[in-house]
Amino acid sequence: MVTIGVLALQGDVGEHVRALEESGARALAVRRPGELEAVDGLVIPGGESTTMSKLLLAFGLFDPLKARIDAGLPVWGTCAGMIMLASHILDGRPDQKSLGAIDMVVRRNAFGRQVDSYEEDLEVKGLADPFHAVFIRAPWVESVGEGVEVLARAGDDPAGPIVAVRSGRALATSFHPEIGGDRRMHGLFVSLVRGS
């Protein structure tokens, strides 16, 4: 059984832990650098990306996490986690750091403020049926580099904003798949970790 960590600095940690366990993985909350060594993959949950960046630095996690990702640790970022995995961030703070795991430009809060949060059924590459996606102050991907696969676009529009991507062992979604009972996205990540 693979062990998948959930970065436990803020966000929907408990929801991701439950979803991973229901998808056949052992889940572990990660708060310290030493805990990174015990995981085969890591989920970076939603939250607030500038705060997450500061907390990663304050807890001494940023450099060890970046080193593990650069060495091939499978990682999945949801919402703010997507921002943390980007190579470039639009509308971020000047001191905000990201892990650069996926060659993509991400715009923070692209869908608008909290009141602009919404839900939709998305066609996601790799899933047989639409996935009910919940967007909460969500980012979107403005552009991707070579080798980054687009998995979903908002509105299922070929020209719509990119909301799910994969690059090698890194996965990112701008929506919150831990909300609701559909565990297929977590299942995809567990399979990715098992195949690593």
Side-chain angles (χ1 to χ4, degrees), residues 23-76:
S23 300
R26 180 182 304 113
L28 173 70
V30 173
R31 292 182 185 86
R32 295 174 199 63
E35 293 165 341
L36 280 173
E37 297 309 314
V39 301
D40 304 305
L42 183 76
V43 174
I44 303 175
E48 205 286 317
S49 62
T50 55
T51 301
M52 196 174 294
S53 172
K54 288 179 184 178
L55 290 172
L56 280 168
L57 292 167
F59 280 78
L61 274 165
F62 188 90
D63 290 335
L65 177 54
K66 180 154 179 45
R68 283 276 337 255
I69 292 170
D70 290 348
L73 178 74
V75 64
W76 176 21

Side-chain angles (χ1 to χ4, degrees), residues 138-160:
W140 68 42
V141 178
E142 294 263 325
S143 63
V144 296
E146 193 172 319
V148 178
E149 181 182 15
V150 174
L151 302 179
R153 290 180 178 267
D156 292 328
D157 180 344

Side-chain angles (χ1 to χ4, degrees), residues 94-133:
D95 61 343
Q96 184 171 358
K97 293 182 75 165
S98 67
L99 296 160
I102 300 176
D103 184 8
M104 63 181 173
V105 177
V106 173
R107 183 174 299 279
R108 292 178 69 242
N109 302 327
F111 286 97
R113 304 176 59 143
Q114 190 79 21
V115 295
D116 299 309
S117 300
Y118 79 102
E119 303 175 23
E120 74 169 288
D121 291 335
L122 277 181
E123 296 289 339
V124 179
K125 198 177 285 186
L127 300 181
D129 297 309
F131 187 90
H132 189 73

